[in-house]
Amino acid sequence: MILDSKIPEGPLAEKWDKHKFNVKLVNPANKRKYDIIVVGTGLAGASAAATFGELGYNVKAFCFQDTPRRAHSIAAQGGINAAKNYQNDGDSVHRLFYDTIKGGDYRAREANVYRLAQVSVNIIDQCVAQGVPFAREYGGLLANRSFGGAQVSRTFYARGQTGQQLLLGAYSALNRQIAYGKVKMYPRTEMLDLVIVDGQARGIVVRNLITGKIESHSAHAVVLATGGYGNVFFLSTNAMGSNATAAWRAHKKGALFANPCFTQIHPTCIPVSGEYQSKLTLMSESLRNDGRVWVPKTKEIAERLRKGEITVNDIAEGDRDYYLERKYPAFGNLVPRDVASRNAKLVCDEGRGVGSSGLAVYLDFADAIKRDGQPAIAAKYGNLFEMYAKITDENPYERPMRIYPAVHYTMGGLWVDYNLMTNVPGLYAAGEANFSDHGANRLGASALMQGLADGYFVLPYTIGDYLANQKYDKVSVDHPAFKEAEQAVIEKNNLLLSIKGTRTVDDFHKALGLLMWDYCGMARTAEGLKFAKGEIRKLRDEFWRDVKVTGVGEELNQTLEKANRVADFLELGELMVDDALNRNESCGGHFREEYQTPENEALRDDENYTYVAAWEFTGVGNDPILHKEELKFENVKLTQRSYK
C-alpha cells in the first residue's frame, strides 16, 4: 500500500491557498443532493456539521451524549492558540508553525502544521463573531497569555473554561442549522460500525442507547470527529464516556491507524488518591504561567514532609528545588508537557515527591499572590482554584497545589492525507480522531485550535473536492453491505450478553489501564512492552470468557455500552504496544528509557524513524502490517530539542 499524503506542490506558505483554488467545487444547487454523516459533536464535529449545513449539504450528526453541548471539548480549560501577535512580542504564523513542529519533536507533517498556523487567525475572528467571551485587555483587544513550549503570548482564553465557551459557540452554530432543517441531530446514539460499499465509506451502523435498537444510516461521505483514546489507560483526564470505538471499528474495516503510541501525559493534574477513582482531574496548564513547580531539595526533607513531621510552609526557600527553572532557564515552568511530565516523574522516582503517596510535586502561587495580589490571581484562575479546593479540601491560595502527570491527549489516530481523508475513500477524520497535526507531542492550547481548524476551515473545502466526483445516487440501507454490518453488530452484542461471567467490565478495564500505565505510559522499555503485550492478550482472552454483562440488548444498557468500548480498548492497547516496540527511539510523549541523552532528554533517531507509522489491521491477535509515510523537512532543521 502506498500512502499518498496529497501534499500540494509549491512553497510552504502558498500550499493551502493554491490547494483551495485548485480543489473541485460543488455548486450550491447540487450541494443539497449530497448527504454527509458527522460522528461526534465536540469542537471538530460541531463546527464541521454546522459549516456543512451552512454550505447547503444535508447533514446527519451523531453523539452518544444527551446533547452536543455535553461533548468532552467542554472540559478544555486553558485556551486556544492563534498567531495574531496582539502582544507585539514577535509572534507570527511561521513562529507558531515552528513551535508546533519543534514541540512535536519533528514527527509531524510540515504542510499540515503550517496550514494549522495559517487558519488559526481566522478561528479567533469566527469565535468572536459567534459571541465567545474571550478575556480582553483594558484597551478592548483580546487578551493573551503564555503557554508551554512557546516564548510568546498567543493563547486566547475565557478564564479557565475556554473549551466550554468555544463549544457553546459551535453548538449555537449547529443549532441554527438544526432549526433550518439542514442538520438532523441524533443524540444518545453510538456508532458501532462503518459500512463500505464498492470500496467507499457510505454509512454507519448505530445503536440507539435508549431503546437498544440497531439502525443504519447512509450518506455520500462519513466524518469521524470522535476524540481520542486516552481512556485505554482507564484513569485519564477524559470524560468516562470518551472511547475509541468509532475509530477502531473503522480501522477494522480498513482505515489505517497512525502513531498509536504517541500519548500525551499532562503534567498538571490532581494526583491519584485511591483505587476508588474512575477518572482524574486536569488543572489547566495556564496555571504554570504564575505557579512555580518545586519539590524539596533532599529526600530526607521530603520523607519528613510525607510523615507529617513538617508542613510545606516549614520548608525554607533554600531547601526548595524549582527544578524546571533550574534545568530550563529559557522556558522555566513553561516547558512543553512531555518535558514537564518526565521531570516530575524523575524527581518523584528520586524519592523527593510530596503528598502521602510521594507521587506529586508542588505548584506554588505564593510569589504570584505576593506580586499581583490574590484578587488578580482569582480573576485569572478563580474557577480552577475553586475546583481544586472542592476536590482536595485544601486552599490553593494558602498552600501550594499538589500535581502529578496523567494521561490527557492522544496524538495518534486514524491516518489521513492533507485533505483529512483516510485511506478509505469517503471516510474523513477530524480533530483528535486523526493523527495529523501534532507529531509526538502536543503543545498546550493546540487541541482546540486543531479541532476548529479542521471543522470550520479545512473540511468544508476538501470534502467538496471529493463529493464533486461522486454521483448523486444514494445507497439504500437495505443494501447487503448494511445488513451484513448490522448483523455483525447484533451478533457481537449477543455474544457479550451470553458470556455471563464473574468479572465486571470495569474490573477488566482497570486491569488493562494498569498494564498500559506501567509499561506503555510515561516511560517504556522493550522488556516491559513485550511483557505487556503478552499480558494484554491473556486479559483479552479472559474478557471473552469471563466478563459479566447484565441486562439485554433491546433496552437502555450501559454495561453493554461499556463492554463494547472495553473490548475495543483491549485490541487497541496491543497495537499501542506494538507501535511503541517498533519505534526504537524517544520522541515527545514516546519515551523509551533505552534511548535518552545523558541529561535524560528524549533521544530521537532521525535516520531511521522520521516517518508516520500507519498500521493495517489483519485480525484480532494477528500482527498488524506497518506502512510508512516518510516525513520530509524542507523548512526546518532537525535538531536536538532544547528548552534551555
Side-chain angles (χ1 to χ4, degrees), residues 517-528:
W517 179 248
D518 286 346
Y519 300 105
C520 197
M522 266 199 286
R524 299 115 185 238
T525 65
E527 182 181 3

Side-chain angles (χ1 to χ4, degrees), residues 437-462:
D437 291 5
H438 303 298
N441 178 52
R442 177 177 71 81
L443 293 186
S446 287
L448 306 186
M449 175 173 60
Q450 187 214 340
L452 291 179
D454 288 355
Y456 282 138
F457 297 108
V458 179
L459 276 172
Y461 286 95
T462 61

Side-chain angles (χ1 to χ4, degrees), residues 331-468:
F331 281 74
N333 295 301
L334 291 176
V335 292
R337 291 172 175 178
D338 62 313
V339 178
S341 295
R342 274 200 304 277
N343 277 276
K345 181 179 186 298
L346 195 63
V347 295
C348 289
D349 288 348
E350 292 171 353
R352 296 193 288 143
V354 301
S356 58
S357 67
L359 294 177
V361 301
Y362 285 129
L363 183 62
D364 196 337
F365 292 87
D367 286 351
I369 291 172
K370 184 177 180 181
R371 180 185 68 237
D372 300 330
Q374 184 170 321
I377 299 302
K380 287 183 183 178
Y381 313 113
N383 62 310
L384 298 172
F385 277 51
E386 290 168 12
M387 185 166 65
Y388 181 88
K390 286 179 180 179
I391 292 171
T392 65
D393 198 29
E394 296 175 6
N395 186 341
Y397 292 108
E398 297 177 356
R399 56 191 299 185
M401 289 183 179
R402 288 175 294 107
I403 58 169
Y404 194 68
V407 172
H408 180 51
Y409 187 96
T410 48
M411 281 75 66
L414 294 180
W415 182 89
V416 292
D417 62 19
Y418 189 72
N419 295 320
L420 303 187
M421 187 161 71
T422 70
N423 59 297
V424 177
L427 176 66
Y428 291 78
E432 193 179 358
N434 73 35
F435 87 97
S436 67
D437 291 5
H438 303 298
N441 178 52
R442 177 177 71 81
L443 293 186
S446 287
L448 306 186
M449 175 173 60
Q450 187 214 340
L452 291 179
D454 288 355
Y456 282 138
F457 297 108
V458 179
L459 276 172
Y461 286 95
T462 61
I463 205 165
D465 186 50
Y466 171 76
L467 292 174

Side-chain angles (χ1 to χ4, degrees), residues 191-196 224 244-258 414-415 422-424 427 484-485 488-489 492 495-496 540 543-544 563-573 575 615-622 624:
M191 173 182 160
L192 293 180
D193 209 353
L194 175 73
V195 179
I196 297 178
L224 300 186
T245 289
W248 189 251
R249 302 289 170 92
H251 173 58
K252 294 175 79 168
K253 281 294 183 72
L256 300 181
F257 210 104
L414 294 180
W415 182 89
T422 70
N423 59 297
V424 177
L427 176 66
E484 182 181 331
V489 166
K492 186 167 189 175
L495 178 57
L496 286 166
R540 189 169 63 233
F543 175 88
W544 287 105
N564 262 302
R565 297 165 187 170
V566 173
D568 293 330
F569 281 141
L570 284 162
E571 295 170 8
L572 171 58
L575 182 64
W615 297 91
E616 180 183 350
F617 181 76
T618 60
V620 179
N622 297 333

Side-chain angles (χ1 to χ4, degrees), residues 229-230 232-233 259-265 345 407 410 512-533 536 572-582 589-593:
Y229 48 92
V232 71
F233 291 87
N259 296 339
C261 78
F262 288 170
T263 307
Q264 182 178 82
I265 313 292
K345 181 179 186 298
V407 172
T410 48
L512 172 65
L514 192 60
L515 279 171
M516 296 300 296
W517 179 248
D518 286 346
Y519 300 105
C520 197
M522 266 199 286
R524 299 115 185 238
T525 65
E527 182 181 3
L529 290 165
K530 289 173 184 175
F531 173 78
K533 183 179 175 77
I536 291 170
L572 171 58
E574 185 176 349
L575 182 64
M576 293 172 68
V577 168
D578 286 335
D579 190 41
L581 266 172
N582 166 73
H590 167 64
F591 192 75
R592 285 278 297 273
E593 291 186 358

